[in-house]
Amino acid sequence: MSDPGNRRDDRRVARVIVADDQSMVREGIVLVLGLLPGIEVVGAARDGEEAVALTAELAPDVVLMDLRMPRCDGVEATRKIRAEHPGTEVVVLTTYADDDSLFPALRAGARGYLTKDAGGEEIGRAVHDVLDGRAGLAPSVQRRLLEKLMVEPERSGGPVGDPPGGRPRRQPVTLPDGLTEREAEVLVLVADGLSNQEIGARLSISTATVKTHINNLFAKAGVRDRVQAVRYAYHHGLVAPPGEAIT
């Protein structure tokens, strides 16, 4: 049930600002978003400084943020927006998916990260995902993020998800939390960064069936989004950490 004190409702149109320094790209994104149900573009910014100013003026639900812009880049603009306007989420939409672009943006407070080859439906889904409290990440970004998390030591020592001593987990004898073989198979493909359509093609099942399996495994695993699901897969040994092989 939606919080009555929250102005975002499941049925409410998401109000979006687009920030990109290239006019043709910016106008193209605005045009694409204008065709999507459930999204209203309320402003467009030519750089990060203008994005921050428009956010203060218009209080959008989401800012779609390019990273490399003059005056104030997307990372700094994201940091300012999240600090000064916590009711506004940021989804990065950029050409770059390298570590030097991805992780600073996420640390600055971006809840979503897409590359500019994303289609309109994927952008719209990311917008609504972040408004629902989920991560709006491209599949390739999800995998890269989880690989990074697996090798970064926790404060208590050892890689994230590993047992004490830093030894990676291996394939369990029985599947955790009552997952079926098919659900585990889908989870492994999610961890490989495949989209629902690609998983369906790989397993020769419909996209609707893939969605059903994902919903079921999310419920059983107690996870809310794909990032948490991939981390769950690493933690339970369904997917080997980078550089390791499951035995």
Side-chain angles (χ1 to χ4, degrees):
M1 180 178 295
S2 299
D3 181 355
N6 190 335
R7 66 187 176 88
R8 294 180 185 136
D9 184 85
D10 291 341
R11 299 293 181 265
R12 185 181 177 90
V13 172
R15 301 171 68 255
V16 176
I17 285 175
V18 176
D20 197 295
D21 64 318
Q22 298 182 19
S23 58
M24 290 189 65
V25 173
R26 184 174 64 251
E27 292 167 6
I29 295 170
V30 170
L31 180 62
V32 168
L33 292 180
L35 300 175
L36 298 178
I39 292 181
E40 176 190 2
V41 178
V42 297
R46 294 168 292 184
D47 54 47
E49 188 173 309
E50 191 169 317
V52 175
L54 282 177
T55 299
E57 176 185 349
L58 301 173
D61 296 306
V62 176
V63 177
L64 280 176
M65 184 77 73
D66 190 21
L67 287 183
R68 302 188 183 180
M69 297 184 290
R71 294 204 298 170
C72 174
D73 66 22
V75 171
E76 183 59 25
T78 296
R79 185 176 295 111
K80 289 181 177 179
I81 288 171
R82 295 297 298 143
E84 299 169 12
H85 311 284
T88 296
E89 302 288 357
V90 176
V91 173
V92 169
L93 184 60
T94 183
T95 304
Y96 309 97
D98 56 282
D99 287 3
D100 289 341
S101 301
L102 170 61
F103 295 108
L106 296 179
R107 284 193 292 267
R111 288 294 301 275
Y113 197 106
L114 302 173
T115 55
K116 287 182 179 176
D117 57 358
E121 290 186 1
E122 186 175 358
I123 297 172
R125 183 165 55 249
V127 166
H128 288 289
D129 279 348
V130 298
L131 292 184
D132 290 339
R134 299 187 295 272
L137 303 176
S140 60
V141 172
Q142 295 170 11
R143 181 59 186 261
R144 183 69 199 99
L145 177 59
L146 265 297
E147 288 176 350
K148 184 73 171 180
L149 288 173
M150 287 302 300
V151 298
E152 284 188 343
E154 290 182 311
R155 291 184 178 179
S156 59
V160 175
D162 283 357
R167 297 179 61 82
R169 295 179 184 271
R170 300 301 182 183
Q171 177 70 42
V173 176
T174 58
L175 293 173
D177 299 317
L179 294 182
T180 67
E181 290 286 348
R182 178 62 91 185
E183 288 163 357
E185 195 172 12
V186 169
L187 177 56
V188 169
L189 296 178
V190 167
D192 283 339
L194 273 65
S195 67
N196 289 356
Q197 292 80 3
E198 291 168 334
I199 293 172
R202 180 75 62 87
L203 300 179
S204 299
I205 57 179
S206 70
T207 302
T209 300
V210 173
K211 290 180 180 178
T212 298
H213 287 313
I214 289 176
N215 288 338
N216 289 342
L217 72 88
F218 275 21
K220 291 179 180 179
V223 300
R224 295 190 307 170
D225 55 42
R226 286 180 177 239
V227 171
Q228 292 182 356
V230 178
R231 187 170 183 175
Y232 175 93
Y234 279 126
H235 182 82
H236 287 281
L238 297 172
V239 177
E244 298 285 344
I246 292 179
T247 59

